[in-house]
């Protein structure tokens, strides 16, 4: 008696294809695209999905988490300053108090909990996918992202004649870390400016990164280290509370932009006639 139920090779292939196609078809036109699946991007994805926003994370690696896996100096310990330990509590990640307002937790535990929290909330993940360019609309507003398979980008130029595809959205969140890749793309066209991050100053940088998280260009919110790079803020080294709270702030700003998250009206208003979703 076999242990496993029946499934042929062809069925397995079809299951993979259908899963991929179903997701990509749905997210060809979505509400929010988050470029970068590090701590700030995952946090934003989780909070947006929790509010019922259609959100997809584009990640160039096969794994999510960015710098959140290993903490500082390849030593696997994540540090967060108060009040960011509350986020760890929310996602069910155990932590210890190191000193009055500094908390520690193992990177792999924190990272896997955060990934699970984003997926459980309903965020979709498109990994091994690199952001290449922006889709531009009237007045140079960003209206989507141009993507390609990461392996295609990694091939020698002579054998990479593979055109990318594009996904449309209402809002892009640049959570690509130090590179601020979305803003960089706009900068190359003379549309935006990236100042570059400043030197390390933990006690200044984390407040600043949260305060500056928001719309940096029409159609683009910056989150996480991309905020420091865009606005010339000090860096915070191996402490991650600012990344988590910046992701939360990015989600709040996105909800405001999308006019979501407002309490429902007490009296039901008549529904407007359904229109095609956009453009
Ligand atoms: C698709 C891309 C692309 C692309 C990059 O670096 P991250 O962890 O980013 P944050 O901002 O969430 O967190 C920063 C933190 O890890 C850190 O580095 C800190 C706190 N440094 C302080 C200091 O002083 O040094 O994650 C970014 C993610 C990664 O997973 C990348 O692979 C991904 O974005 N990414 N994905 N297309 N073009 N570029």
């Amino acid at each position: 008696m076999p242990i496993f139920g029946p499934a042929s090779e062809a069925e397995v292939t079809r299951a993979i294809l259908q899963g991929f196609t179903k997701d990509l078809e749905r997210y060809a036109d979505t509400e929010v695209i988050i470029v970068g699946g590090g701590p700030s991007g995952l946090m934003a994805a989780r909070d947006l999905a929790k509010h019922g926003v259609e959100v997809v994370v584009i990640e160039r690696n096969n794994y999510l988490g960015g710098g959140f896996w290993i903490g500082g100096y390849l030593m696997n310990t994540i540090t967060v300053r108060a009040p960011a330990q509350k986020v760890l509590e929310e996602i069910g990640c155990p932590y210890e108090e190191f000193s009055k307002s500094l908390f520690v937790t193992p990177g792999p535990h924190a990272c896997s909990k955060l990934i699970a929290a984003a997926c459980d909330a309903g965020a979709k993940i498109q990994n091994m996918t690199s952001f290449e360019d922006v889709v531009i609309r009237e007045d140079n507003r960003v209206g989507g992202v141009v993507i390609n398979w990461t392996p295609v980008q990694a091939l020698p130029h002579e054998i990479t004649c593979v055109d990318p595809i594009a996904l449309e959205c209402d809002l892009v969140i640049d959570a690509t870390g130090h590179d601020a890749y979305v803003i960089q793309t706009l900068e190359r066209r003379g549309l935006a400016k990236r100042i570059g991050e400043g030197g390390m100053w933990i006690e200044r940088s984390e407040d600043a990164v949260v305060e500056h998280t928001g719309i940096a260009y029409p159609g683009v919110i910056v989150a996480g280290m991309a905020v420091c790079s865009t606005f010339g803020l000090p860096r915070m080294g191996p402490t991650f509370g600012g990344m988590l709270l910046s992701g939360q702030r990015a989600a709040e700003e996105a909800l405001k932009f999308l006019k979501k998250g407002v309490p429902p009206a007490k009296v039901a208003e008549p529904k407007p006639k359904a229109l095609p979703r956009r453009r």
Side-chain angles (χ1 to χ4, degrees):
M1 185 67 176
I3 298 174
F4 294 100
S8 73
E9 286 75 8
E11 267 179 285
V12 171
T13 302
R14 284 194 195 103
I16 292 170
L17 273 177
Q18 279 177 29
F20 179 81
T21 314
K22 201 172 87 198
D23 276 355
L24 194 60
E25 201 178 356
R26 184 158 165 217
Y27 291 102
D29 183 0
T30 191
E31 289 182 298
V32 178
I33 293 176
I34 299 178
V35 186
S40 65
L42 289 170
M43 195 68 227
R46 182 266 198 170
D47 279 13
L48 285 169
K50 246 176 73 177
H51 281 84
V53 174
E54 282 179 343
V55 55
V56 61
V57 177
I58 302 293
E59 170 54 56
R60 70 179 166 193
N61 283 321
N62 63 346
Y63 63 90
L64 294 161
F68 206 43
W69 284 108
I70 48 171
Y73 209 55
L74 294 181
M75 287 199 172
N76 246 10
T77 296
I78 293 292
T79 64
V80 302
R81 293 162 61 215
Q85 83 282 6
K86 291 186 185 144
V87 175
L88 298 177
E89 264 160 47
E90 255 183 65
I91 61 173
C93 179
Y95 62 87
E96 285 172 18
E97 188 179 277
F98 180 79
S99 56
K100 192 165 172 289
S101 58
L102 187 63
F103 301 86
V104 291
T105 184
H109 204 159
C111 202
S112 42
K113 286 284 187 186
L114 185 56
I115 295 167
C119 294
D120 289 349
K124 289 286 169 189
I125 312 294
Q126 201 68 46
N127 52 347
M128 286 305 270
T129 304
S130 289
F131 164 90
E132 240 186 53
D133 204 350
V134 287
V135 171
I136 286 285
R137 299 296 185 214
E138 59 284 344
D139 303 324
N140 287 326
R141 172 180 68 85
V142 169
V145 298
V146 178
I147 55 168
N148 215 332
W149 296 114
T150 299
V152 168
Q153 284 204 334
L155 287 168
H157 193 249
E158 318 78 80
I159 50 169
T160 55
C161 300
V162 180
D163 275 333
I165 57 166
L167 310 176
E168 294 181 53
C169 61
D170 297 323
L171 202 52
V172 173
I173 298 183
D174 184 349
T176 56
H178 295 263
D179 290 343
Y181 206 83
V182 179
I183 297 295
Q184 220 187 99
T185 308
L186 292 159
E187 189 179 31
R188 277 204 297 274
R189 298 205 169 83
L191 295 171
K193 179 97 191 89
R194 212 169 34 114
I195 298 171
E197 69 199 24
M200 197 185 296
W201 191 348
I202 289 178
E203 287 183 353
R204 280 276 166 90
S205 62
E206 291 206 283
D207 282 34
V209 77
V210 177
E211 279 158 17
H212 285 75
T213 299
I215 304 257
Y217 183 85
V220 182
I221 283 178
V222 280
M225 273 315 283
V227 179
C228 296
S229 299
T230 303
F231 297 113
L233 308 178
R235 59 193 293 190
M236 68 293 296
T239 192
F240 287 82
M243 299 298 104
L244 299 172
L245 298 201
S246 169
Q248 284 188 331
R249 175 67 65 89
E252 283 161 23
E253 294 300 314
L255 289 169
K256 272 191 230 159
F257 177 88
L258 298 167
K259 301 194 171 32
K260 290 206 171 183
V262 277
K266 290 221 169 68
V267 183
E269 286 168 19
K271 273 200 176 155
K273 203 165 166 275
L275 290 171
R277 223 169 66 70
R278 78 166 63 87
R279 291 175 278 277

